[in-house]
Amino acid sequence: MITRCTWAQSAPKNMQDYHDQEWGRPQHDNQALFELLCLETFQAGLSWQTVLNKRPAFRRAFQGFAIAKVAAMTATDLERLLQDPAIIRNRLKLSAAIHNAQVLMDWPAGSDFSTWLWAFVGNQPIRHRWTASDQVPATTDLAQHISREMKRRGFKFVGPTIVYSLLQAAGLVNDHLVTCDWAPENQHKEGSK
């Protein structure tokens, strides 16, 4: 029998797949990190299930989250996105996604977003060993610090809760419960992923 984190235990299949295949796995690809940042932004105030249900539509709308293509989007593109019922049509969030792509396009030479972000955790995932879902915080001092630094870089819609969710999603922080088959300490068990 598979044991997942509480939030994914009885969730719909796409939530379970997200938990099993993505959440908490170290991600270093800039485009994938950008997609996760956008999705976490769109999730603010909504359920993660809602965002996952709309993820294919977001991928179409944002051309696969190709950073250069999103950065080149115009006011006309924004108005088109606001008319698309398949995505979350929030002007501030949509504008933030385009703006944040522009920030990434203007990143200083010799570095990239992934390298910069992973430096905050010493290039090693932080492993929390929570035993219950109510122990998992909505944010941490680290997320607050990274949020401030992201805002200094020009990012928008990157509050500490969104940043902490990004850290969890991208595997900079591993918050799989210790009882979860996907917890690092359980990866040797037969039948776990």
Side-chain angles (χ1 to χ4, degrees):
M1 181 167 153
I2 293 175
T3 304
R4 293 180 174 89
C5 294
T6 310
W7 62 266
Q9 195 65 17
S10 61
K13 183 165 178 8
N14 65 345
M15 285 278 280
Q16 290 181 355
D17 289 347
Y18 172 73
H19 170 275
D20 298 354
Q21 298 165 19
E22 289 185 71
W23 193 71
R25 291 189 183 216
Q27 180 57 257
H28 295 273
D29 179 77
N30 284 307
Q31 184 170 322
L33 287 169
F34 174 62
E35 177 177 357
L36 289 172
L37 174 61
C38 290
L39 295 177
E40 295 298 346
T41 298
F42 284 107
Q43 190 269 332
L46 302 170
S47 74
W48 188 244
Q49 180 66 54
T50 298
V51 173
L52 281 183
N53 289 344
K54 293 180 178 287
R55 191 179 198 181
F58 273 121
R59 284 180 169 163
R60 282 190 301 277
F62 284 114
Q63 302 173 68
F65 289 97
I67 297 168
K69 290 180 179 179
V70 177
M73 287 183 154
T74 64
T76 303
D77 293 314
L78 177 59
E79 293 306 316
R80 177 182 46 78
L81 292 172
L82 286 166
Q83 301 306 312
D84 186 347
I87 64 171
I88 296 165
R89 296 177 288 175
N90 178 298
R91 183 179 293 276
L92 291 176
K93 293 175 181 181
L94 291 165
S95 295
I98 295 167
H99 174 83
N100 291 343
Q102 293 166 350
V103 170
L104 291 173
M105 287 301 296
D106 290 337
W107 204 263
S111 181
D112 63 12
F113 179 58
S114 175
T115 303
W116 179 82
L117 191 60
W118 276 91
F120 286 102
V121 296
N123 298 309
Q124 281 294 330
I126 294 171
R127 173 65 181 137
H128 293 132
R129 288 177 172 79
W130 311 118
T131 57
S133 59
D134 61 358
Q135 294 175 323
V136 181
T139 190
T140 61
D141 290 344
L142 174 63
Q144 292 172 20
H145 174 64
I146 295 172
S147 170
R148 285 190 300 271
E149 293 303 314
M150 288 181 79
K151 287 174 184 174
R152 251 179 244 175
R153 289 255 178 180
F155 287 97
K156 292 184 178 177
F157 230 103
V158 287
T161 302
I162 288 172
V163 169
Y164 193 65
S165 293
L166 172 65
L167 298 179
Q168 291 172 307
L172 287 88
V173 171
N174 188 318
D175 275 347
H176 282 285
L177 300 180
V178 295
T179 55
C180 176
D181 288 345
W182 280 264
E185 54 271 22
N186 297 333
Q187 289 298 294
H188 67 280
K189 288 183 180 178
E190 187 176 334
S192 63
K193 303 287 179 199

